[in-house]
Structure formats: structure tokens, C-alpha cells
Amino acid sequence: MSAVTDQFAAPSAPVRKTPMGTFDLIFRNASLLAALFVLVLLAGIMLSMVIGGWPAFREFGFGFITSSVWDTQNEQYGAWPAIVGTLSTALIALVVGVPLSLGIAVFLTQLAPPWFKQPVSTAIELLAAVPSIIYGMWGLFVFAPLFAAYVQIPLSNIVEGMPIVGTILYSRSPSGLGILTAGIILAFMIIPFIASITRDMLDQIPSVLRESAYGIGATTWEVVRHVLVPQAGVSIIGAIMLGLGRALGETMAVTFVVGNANRLSPSILDPGSTIASRIANEFNEALGLQLNSLIALGCILFFVTFVVLVIARLLVARVKRY
């Protein structure tokens, strides 16, 4: 029986290796050059920043990162207030922006009527196209005065003298400018990116999954919590990290509203500075060690962004495993 089966069995098709065509070879080499170009460009930027900032690192050592002094007259520079300001504004932006972005994405994909969905989606995309300097001008001339009159002054009167809260939320000079104002402006800037990407990812989830969940009696919240979010978890993390990257490196908008004070205050309502805002304010007039210190600040910001990218990759890998 096995002989008969072997006799009538179709012979296996021979595997032929066709030579790579000319266009395939050109395409492969061009793609390889493009990938190598990105690596060379990244290495060149990092190397130039390390070389430019090395005199500051050599002069101050590790104290450049931990020092809070920024004295251009005595050639003493420290990066700690700018580092704390950068991380604080980015964290505030995420705390404010991520819930709003996820709420917008869920509303547009699950709850919005068809006649309302398209205008809101278009408005979100238009917000992403607004230049950062426009956000900064709006924050300085419109948002900051309103924030000072209706938030900073009443809140300072309430929390004055309270332990911990009275320190963090008390404003000594309620002008509307400060770390919290900069974080809120950054939140407005990252919302379009996170909301748009999350909305697109939720739209791409097969409708059969949602319909099955609704069919067994799940509510909208249960569908979002147990079906949509796990399916789009990797994309949501990527969108959040994209927004965080912009919040860390944003320059003009933050420069307008952060207050640009070279000091470290325990209150998030007081003026402060970020790495990007300090570079923007002083780079044109910087010479010698001051210029090297500003380049060293850029190197630190580059490193912080790289660490954020590594953390994002680890989070994505962990989500994929589960």
C-alpha cells in the first residue's frame, strides 16, 4: 500500500534559487545605506555634543549635574535645576495629557455619533499642526493671566501655612508663570499626538472582538478595559512615549511660560527653567565655558531622551510577552 501511495504521490517541486535582479540589488543597498545613515547621523550628533560639552564636564566633574549654581560672572555652572525642571514639566504634561488623550480616543471610537466624530478628529489633527511658538504666545498672554487670577492666587491663599501641600502649591509671586503652567501647556501640545495615534489603533482592532464582548453583556467600560486596551496596549505605550519625547525637548513654548528662573523651588507654581529653555535663552550670547556648559546640558537632555526610549522599548517588550 505504501508503494502505491509513493507511486502516485506528487513529486515535490524543486527549489529554485533565482538570481537577485538588478533592481532588487539596488533597492537592498539603498535601504541598507538609509539605515546606516541614521546610525551615522545619531553617532555624529552625540559625538559632537560630547566633544563640545567635555570642557564643562572636565571642569566641574559630576558636580555639574548635582550643582544648583548658574553664575555667569564667576564661571560656575550647574545643571540640576534645569534637569529637575525638564523632568517636572514632562511629568506634569503626562499626568494631565494622557488621561485626556485616552478619553478623546475612546470617545471618538466608541461613543461619538458619526456627525460629531469627523469634526473633532479634524480639530485634533489641526492642533498637532499648530507651531509651538503659538502655544507659547497663547500661554503667555492668555493662559498665564487667567491661571494667576483664578488658580494661583486663590490656591495660595488656601494652602498657605499647610505642611507639604503649602510648600508644593504655594506661589510666592503669582504671575501665572511657572513649572505647572509650562507642564499644562506641554500637555495641550502632546494631546493631539497621543490621541490621534491611540484613536487609529483602536479603530484597527477587529470589530468582531467588540461585538463579541457586547454580545455576552459587557458594558462599554468593560469592553474598553478588557478588550480594547489590552489589544492596543503596545501602541498606546508608544504614543505616550512619543508625547513624552516631545515634552522633554520642547523649547519655545516652555521658554515663554516657565519663568526662566535659575533656581530650584519646592513649589510647582514658582518660576523655573528647563534644559531646552536655558539653552534657548543663553546660547546666542554664550562664550567659552558658558557655551560648553550649554552644550553639556544638551548632551544630558540627549541622554535622558535615550533612557526614555530604552524604557519604552522594555515596556513594549513586557506588554508583548503578556
Side-chain angles (χ1 to χ4, degrees):
M1 184 66 180
S2 60
V4 175
T5 304
D6 295 339
Q7 181 179 359
F8 288 98
S12 59
V15 179
R16 294 186 301 174
K17 295 183 178 180
T18 58
M20 183 177 295
T22 303
F23 290 104
D24 291 334
L25 184 61
I26 294 174
F27 176 74
R28 180 177 180 179
N29 292 333
S31 302
L32 177 61
L33 289 176
L36 292 177
F37 173 76
V38 173
L39 295 178
V40 171
L41 181 63
L42 184 63
I45 294 174
M46 187 61 187
L47 182 62
S48 63
M49 296 184 68
V50 170
I51 293 175
W54 181 251
F57 290 123
R58 182 180 57 195
E59 177 71 20
F60 304 110
F62 189 75
F64 178 76
I65 298 177
T66 59
S67 175
S68 300
V69 178
W70 192 271
D71 189 355
T72 57
Q73 300 297 327
N74 298 318
E75 295 288 336
Q76 295 293 322
Y77 303 102
W80 185 242
I83 294 174
V84 173
T86 300
L87 298 178
S88 300
T89 54
L91 179 61
I92 293 172
L94 289 184
V95 171
V96 176
V98 170
L100 291 175
S101 302
L102 298 182
I104 292 171
V106 171
F107 175 77
L108 292 178
T109 56
Q110 304 299 315
L111 303 172
W115 62 269
F116 191 64
K117 179 178 179 179
Q118 189 59 42
V120 175
S121 300
T122 304
I124 293 296
E125 294 169 357
L126 287 176
L127 284 176
V130 175
S132 60
I133 193 172
I134 302 301
Y135 281 103
M137 294 174 63
W138 176 81
L140 178 63
F141 296 112
V142 178
F143 182 79
L146 296 175
F147 188 74
Y150 295 102
V151 176
Q152 281 190 340
I153 295 177
L155 185 60
S156 298
N157 293 333
I158 293 174
V159 303
E160 184 177 5
M162 293 183 180
I164 302 178
V165 177
T167 301
I168 299 175
L169 298 179
Y170 179 76
S171 177
R172 292 176 293 179
S173 56
S175 62
L177 305 179
I179 296 294
L180 181 58
T181 305
I184 294 174
I185 297 298
L186 285 176
F188 295 156
M189 297 180 67
I190 67 175
I191 281 175
F193 296 93
I194 302 177
S196 297
I197 297 175
T198 305
R199 179 203 61 196
D200 292 340
M201 293 303 103
L202 294 179
D203 277 336
Q204 293 180 10
I205 296 177
S207 59
V208 64
L209 296 177
R210 286 173 286 189
E211 294 172 357
S212 301
Y214 284 124
I216 61 175
T219 62
T220 302
W221 160 249
E222 292 171 339
V223 171
V224 172
R225 172 64 181 84
H226 299 288
V227 178
L228 300 184
V229 172
Q231 289 293 323
V234 174
S235 301
I236 293 175
I237 292 175
I240 293 173
M241 291 304 165
L242 177 63
L244 177 59
R246 181 171 187 186
L248 288 172
E250 180 54 45
T251 304
M252 293 309 301
V254 174
T255 304
F256 273 91
V257 299
V258 75
N260 301 305
N262 295 327
R263 65 173 183 268
L264 189 61
S265 174
S267 174
I268 61 175
L269 296 179
D270 284 340
S273 66
T274 65
I275 294 177
S277 67
R278 181 164 296 179
I279 293 175
N281 283 321
E282 302 185 14
F283 195 82
N284 286 336
E285 301 176 356
L287 295 172
L289 190 58
Q290 182 184 4
L291 179 61
N292 298 131
S293 299
L294 293 176
I295 298 176
L297 282 177
C299 186
I300 293 174
L301 180 59
F302 191 94
F303 176 76
V304 170
T305 307
F306 178 77
V307 171
V308 169
L309 177 62
V310 172
I311 294 175
R313 299 294 297 180
L314 294 176
L315 289 176
V316 169
R318 183 175 181 180
V319 171
K320 285 183 177 180
R321 284 200 304 266
Y322 294 100

